[in-house]
Amino acid sequence: ETSSEQNLSQGVSPKQFSTMSATTTSNTDPRHPYPTPPQTINPDLAAERASAPFSPLRITHFLDGGSASLTDRRRRLEALIIRDTSGVFSNDDNHYLHRTERHTRALAKFVRLVELCRAAGIGSHPRPPALEGEITSTKEFQTLVATLSDDPLPTSLHWVMFVPNILTLCDAEQQSLWLPLCRDFKMIGCYAQTELGHGSNIRALETTATFLKEIDGGAEGGEWVVHSPTLTSAKFWPGTLGKTANHAMVIARLIDGEGIDRGIHNFLVPLRSMEDHSLLEGVETGDVGPKIGYNNMDNGFCRFDHVRIPRRNMAMRFATVDEEGVYRKVEGGASEAASKVAYITMMQVRAYIIHSSNEALAMACTIAIRYSTVRRQGYNADENDANNSPAEFQVLDYRQQQYRLLPLLAASYAIFFTGRHVLSRLNRIEQQLVSGAKSITKTVVGDIHSTTSALKSYVTTFTADGIEDCRKACGGHGFLMCSGLVELSNTYLQSCTVEGDNQMLPQQVIKVLLKLVGVIQSGDEAALKDYEATDMQYLIQPLQSLMQSNDDISGDGPSKSTFSFPANTSESDFLSIPTLLQAYQHRTACLLLDVTTQLQTSLSDSHATQQKAWNDALLSMARASRAHACYILLRDFSDGLEEEKAKGSKSCLGPEEIQVLSQCLVLLGLYWMDQHLSDFLQIGVVSSKQIPVLRRALLRVMTDLRPSAVALCDARDFADFRLKSALGKYDGDVYPAIMEAARRDPLNVKSNEKGVGLGYEESLKKLIVDGVGEYRGKKNGGVSGTASRL
């Protein structure tokens, strides 16, 4: 077969992919049937698109990787799903299915997806030996999965966490044994860490893996006995675990041959037969039950009753246990940085959650903004319609609606830039860690851990709230499942809890940032150089200036910034990107220094224990962590645009596209400043007299961005198939779509030819016809009401 790049360049059928060049692009969208039927666009949407001051397609090309051919290839990949003739990928009846049906149909979707990938040659082009023929690690596969536009597939944890764990933590011999089975989907795995009684605190996990020597009754060469000693030690919540996976990467306490607890390690544990999928002896698994969303996924529970597995089923890249049960660190694996490799997978998943949030938020914005353009509400005294009567306002023209939606749209682009940056940086760090590079210090590893923790906590909270705000912004129709926003919200909500609860993650952020404060306080220039290549670097200068201007950092008052907007500030000052970034730098520095002050004051004045002092400072830590995340998002957005400017004509973004994205950046900076105004007032970056100027600047940039709103949504290039929304259709024909969705409801479909609905014969008829609800007073020989019965 030819490479997938060639195969996926043209056509819809996988068999057609090998016939055309990868660089060829077409003038038609392959996601739509040929010939494309004439489409009537809502006049308001058409007017918005015609007046857009930039090219949405240029931004589409940029988001796709920087070229028209990449956009064309993505669309052709999406067409594989959208135009598949099997019908298995249809989401039309999602809202009417029980979760059991959703789960089984999602399994069918995955099997069909694998068939399409193999037919198209995805994963067959030259790759590292460990990944030869592997589908799930390719960009093409990620595009196809996103196009399904359904709750996550039940098999998702297989490629999101199970396979990456094998690649990262298992040695070459183990990889050669297990990866081919994963590639061919003979072995389908999950990642079993969270327990019924413990989640984020992995040091408290109770599941044990105890080494049993051969001489003591173990198998030849010894083996592990995996056990759940208590009810709370049951694995609970891992995706794919309930009914789908036949293997699990189990996180358990390693008890070596000498009975010494060596802490948390990874063990590959068979759960089910690879012949008939039956549970193996000593293993109990099941689904955790209905959830708010994510109901395709069989999040599961699992208990182990002295399950025996081979000695070599322990992940042995960085630590080993020999046949006598002797535990050893692998050379190079004992370094402080390499010891963090076990956390890389979690950070990878956090990074994917951060990056995928940009699309979830953008989809919600697309639905709400298109609908707000089509929907009219209230009369506009300044404008008449064709009949010379007062025209109705487009809902998007109301300032409240702009304030609700435009900053969310801007944030979706900011999250894209930051997600891309974090994934790239994390991949580089992982590769260097695994190769044993000494340049990756503990400071660098701690920094990326802090960054992903801060961003995961803030971005997912902001996105979940943003999707819900988009739903509310659609009024009553936003309450309909056919709006697409209800399912989008319910599916996304889990992101706020999975891979680290958002309320707890800020502690991990601040632990790392406080080390930087300590280094600056100590004056250790050599140690400070280690921070120059980190995301914390921006804090060095503001912290140094703060410490110089506030010699006594144990005082009662809040830290005051050494930067502030000038007393005679104007709107242009608030519209300056460098000035906004400087304000956000000093905000983080001041709030971080306030955490230090609070901790030191609590320990010295009140003689509190370290635990109490830390607990009392948690709210201050949350504010500092949020500030850190906001700055990183704005900085990465700015850096990304500057990088495109530097490319000049080589960038697919022209001056108009960079200008509109810059407006998004400024709007987001002003919006967050307005939302978190108390932070900026407290540290003195802005004064109360400058608030009106700030808000005039905010109003001005909303005015500038308003004509671009629909086009910025179109630039995301979401097919209607992905949006699954009657309100967010590209053509804006929302009202027929709403009625069509209503008529498709089983309550209507299953009514008889006379329109009599379900439940009439069994129940309602007894009231209306049979008279069981009739009141029979004494005059009619009846009982005189409830009181007499009592």
Side-chain angles (χ1 to χ4, degrees), residues 12 94 142 146 166 239 278 295 398 499 577 622 687 696 722 772:
V12 176
N94 278 10
Q142 303 304 326
I166 294 175
S278 59
N295 282 307
Y398 284 102
E499 299 306 322
I577 292 174
S687 67
R696 285 199 300 272
R722 285 197 64 186
V772 300

Side-chain angles (χ1 to χ4, degrees), residues 294-450:
Y294 235 63
N295 282 307
N296 283 0
M297 176 64 75
D298 54 328
N299 293 90
F301 65 83
C302 181
R303 294 197 70 186
F304 302 104
D305 185 5
H306 299 92
V307 174
R308 297 192 177 196
I309 62 173
R311 175 181 65 88
R312 287 280 295 161
N313 276 32
M314 167 193 168
M316 290 193 176
R317 186 168 198 161
F318 297 104
T320 64
V321 171
D322 66 18
E323 296 180 357
E324 298 302 316
V326 178
Y327 177 89
R328 293 186 180 88
K329 291 278 189 180
V330 174
E331 185 178 353
S335 69
E336 290 181 334
S339 67
K340 296 286 186 179
V341 170
Y343 295 99
I344 287 293
T345 299
M346 177 176 286
M347 282 192 272
Q348 280 182 324
V349 176
R350 284 180 185 168
Y352 283 120
I353 291 172
I354 294 163
H355 189 57
S356 64
S357 297
N358 92 82
E359 283 206 342
L361 186 55
M363 290 174 76
C365 290
T366 298
I367 294 169
I369 287 174
R370 284 179 179 171
Y371 179 66
S372 296
T373 303
V374 171
R375 180 76 170 182
R376 288 181 174 267
Q377 191 79 30
Y379 289 104
N380 182 359
D382 297 331
E383 180 184 340
N384 290 337
D385 62 17
N387 298 320
N388 206 32
S389 300
E392 284 190 285
F393 266 112
Q394 286 178 278
V395 173
L396 192 57
D397 284 336
Y398 284 102
R399 288 300 193 182
Q400 306 101 305
Q401 197 78 340
Q402 293 173 15
Y403 188 79
R404 295 170 87 176
L405 297 179
L406 296 186
L408 298 179
L409 179 61
S412 72
Y413 280 97
I415 298 168
F416 166 81
F417 280 96
T418 291
R420 184 181 66 168
H421 171 75
V422 170
L423 278 171
S424 176
R425 183 170 175 234
L426 187 58
N427 287 335
R428 290 196 304 270
I429 290 175
E430 181 190 11
Q431 291 170 8
Q432 291 173 292
L433 272 175
V434 170
S435 66
K438 295 181 180 179
S439 59
I440 303 300
T441 64
K442 184 179 180 180
T443 299
V444 172
V445 174
D447 176 65
I448 191 65
H449 176 69
S450 173

Side-chain angles (χ1 to χ4, degrees), residues 13-259:
S13 168
K15 293 182 179 179
Q16 296 175 332
F17 288 154
S18 60
T19 64
M20 296 186 179
S21 164
T23 58
T24 303
T25 59
S26 64
N27 294 324
T28 55
D29 190 332
R31 298 172 296 184
H32 305 308
Y34 298 126
T36 303
Q39 193 174 35
T40 302
I41 304 296
N42 175 277
D44 288 326
L45 277 180
E48 297 278 340
R49 288 167 178 147
S51 62
F54 68 98
S55 166
L57 194 57
R58 282 179 173 268
I59 294 181
T60 302
H61 296 335
F62 170 74
L63 296 173
D64 283 327
S67 71
S69 62
L70 290 175
T71 294
D72 193 62
R73 181 165 46 161
R74 172 186 52 78
R75 287 176 172 179
R76 293 181 185 283
L77 278 164
E78 292 178 349
L80 275 177
I81 302 297
I82 296 171
R83 299 180 60 194
D84 180 62
T85 57
S86 72
V88 72
F89 296 123
S90 171
N91 293 314
D92 290 345
D93 298 326
N94 278 10
H95 307 315
Y96 315 122
L97 298 179
H98 186 271
R99 67 175 301 256
T100 302
E101 297 172 291
R102 291 283 298 268
H103 171 75
T104 54
R105 194 173 70 168
L107 288 173
K109 289 183 179 185
F110 179 67
V111 172
R112 177 60 178 160
L113 176 60
V114 172
E115 291 174 347
L116 291 176
C117 287
R118 288 297 184 213
I122 293 174
S124 63
H125 55 284
R127 312 183 68 199
L131 295 176
E132 183 178 355
E134 172 60 54
I135 293 173
T136 61
S137 60
T138 63
K139 291 182 179 179
E140 293 94 338
F141 179 80
Q142 303 304 326
T143 298
L144 290 168
V145 169
T147 308
L148 291 178
S149 197
D150 201 357
D151 278 354
L153 294 167
T155 46
S156 295
L157 272 291
H158 174 73
W159 63 82
V160 172
M161 296 196 75
F162 183 72
V163 172
N165 259 263
I166 294 175
L167 285 165
T168 302
L169 299 176
C170 295
D171 63 28
E173 182 183 340
Q174 291 172 319
Q175 290 186 27
S176 66
L177 176 64
W178 295 327
L179 287 178
L181 294 173
C182 293
R183 174 198 65 203
D184 296 340
F185 301 103
K186 305 293 185 183
M187 177 184 285
I188 298 176
C190 65
Y191 180 81
Q193 174 179 298
T194 301
E195 296 178 351
L196 185 60
H198 295 93
S200 300
N201 184 13
I202 63 172
R203 290 186 298 174
L205 296 180
E206 299 177 79
T207 304
T208 57
T210 304
F211 189 76
L212 185 64
K213 299 178 184 178
E214 181 180 348
I215 195 173
D216 294 328
E220 182 178 356
E223 62 185 348
W224 298 101
V225 180
V226 180
H227 185 57
S228 306
T230 65
L231 177 63
T232 53
S233 69
K235 297 299 181 184
F236 201 95
W237 279 116
T240 310
L241 174 61
K243 295 295 178 182
T244 304
N246 56 23
H247 286 74
M249 185 63 76
V250 175
I251 313 304
R253 311 190 69 82
L254 188 157
I255 313 298
D256 68 12
E258 298 178 358

